[in-house]
Amino acid sequence: MSETGTPKKQSRLVQAFIVVGGLLALMWVLEGLDTVTANALDNYGIEPRKISDLPNILWAPLLHFGWGHLIANSVPFLVLGVVTYLSGPIKWVVTTVISTIISGLTAWLLGPIGTFTAGVSGVIFGYLTYLLVRGIFSRRIGQIVIAVVVLAVYGSVLLGVFPTAAGVSWQAHLGGALGGIIAAWLLHSRERNRKPQQMAY
């Protein structure tokens, strides 16, 4: 049995907080810049069916419509982002990218004309559904236990995929949730087919 397991886990946890926390800090800096420029950055959100706004899908999650919007997203992004990162940096990158793209495309395709969509909540939904369903694909008990805890704490957030609140992009939430499921399938569906390694003793 290796004695380096615990330090390695601690190192990844620190790395997770640095990476995810660093992204969150960037969001706060951008919101400060948006404030002092009279909300000029809001124009870089996603406007549905506008071809020139397709590239905005990549950075719209970093932008928010006011401090209240950012504050509401900050804790879920940090917590779920860190837990997702603990699966591995590559898995976190894949989940983040897929959730960002599918969330943005869904908002671009289904959002009301004349509106702008921005904010990291689509990515948050991606992390949430990734953590909830990866255990189903991998059949790992530890991941299933984490899914139960995440569902207990953040399960009610899933209501955001329905059009229940004015001014909230359920389209982006739905796309992000689908992205998390796709990422979990891509990253973990093959784990159940792996044969256990035979160990001689």
Side-chain angles (χ1 to χ4, degrees):
M1 180 178 177
S2 173
E3 295 180 357
T4 61
T6 299
K8 184 176 181 180
K9 289 180 180 178
Q10 291 175 345
S11 174
R12 179 167 290 179
L13 180 61
V14 171
Q15 188 181 48
F17 273 105
I18 291 174
V19 173
V20 180
L23 266 181
L24 182 58
L26 176 60
M27 295 178 205
W28 279 74
V29 169
L30 289 173
E31 187 55 36
L33 181 61
D34 189 47
T35 300
V36 300
T37 57
N39 302 320
L41 296 184
D42 290 353
N43 294 321
Y44 292 94
I46 302 165
E47 187 173 355
R49 268 85 75 200
K50 187 175 180 180
I51 299 296
S52 61
D53 271 20
L54 278 173
N56 292 0
I57 287 172
L58 299 177
W59 47 76
L62 299 173
L63 308 174
H64 290 80
F65 298 126
W67 293 106
H69 186 201
L70 175 57
I71 291 169
N73 282 338
S74 292
V75 173
F77 174 76
L78 182 63
V79 172
L80 296 174
V82 166
V83 176
T84 300
Y85 195 98
L86 294 178
S87 298
I90 293 177
K91 290 183 174 69
W92 176 80
V93 170
V94 170
T95 303
T96 302
V97 170
I98 292 177
S99 299
T100 295
I101 292 174
I102 297 183
S103 172
L105 283 175
T106 305
W108 187 85
L109 287 169
L110 303 180
I113 294 292
T115 62
F116 282 88
T117 298
V120 78
S121 55
V123 177
I124 291 171
F125 273 78
Y127 292 154
L128 178 59
T129 54
Y130 167 80
L131 294 170
L132 289 176
V133 305
R134 65 177 178 170
I136 297 174
F137 294 120
S138 68
R139 295 180 181 174
R140 291 187 176 183
I141 298 299
Q143 293 179 356
I144 293 173
V145 170
I146 292 174
V148 171
V149 174
V150 169
L151 182 62
V153 177
Y154 287 106
S156 61
V157 173
L158 290 172
L159 294 175
V161 301
F162 301 105
T164 55
V168 176
S169 178
W170 62 269
Q171 298 92 343
H173 294 174
L174 177 61
L178 291 174
I181 293 171
I182 292 171
W185 176 74
L186 290 173
L187 295 168
H188 297 281
S189 61
R190 297 180 182 179
E191 292 181 11
R192 70 173 65 184
N193 298 321
R194 293 177 184 169
K195 294 182 179 179
Q197 184 179 2
Q198 294 180 343
M199 301 292 292
Y201 63 96

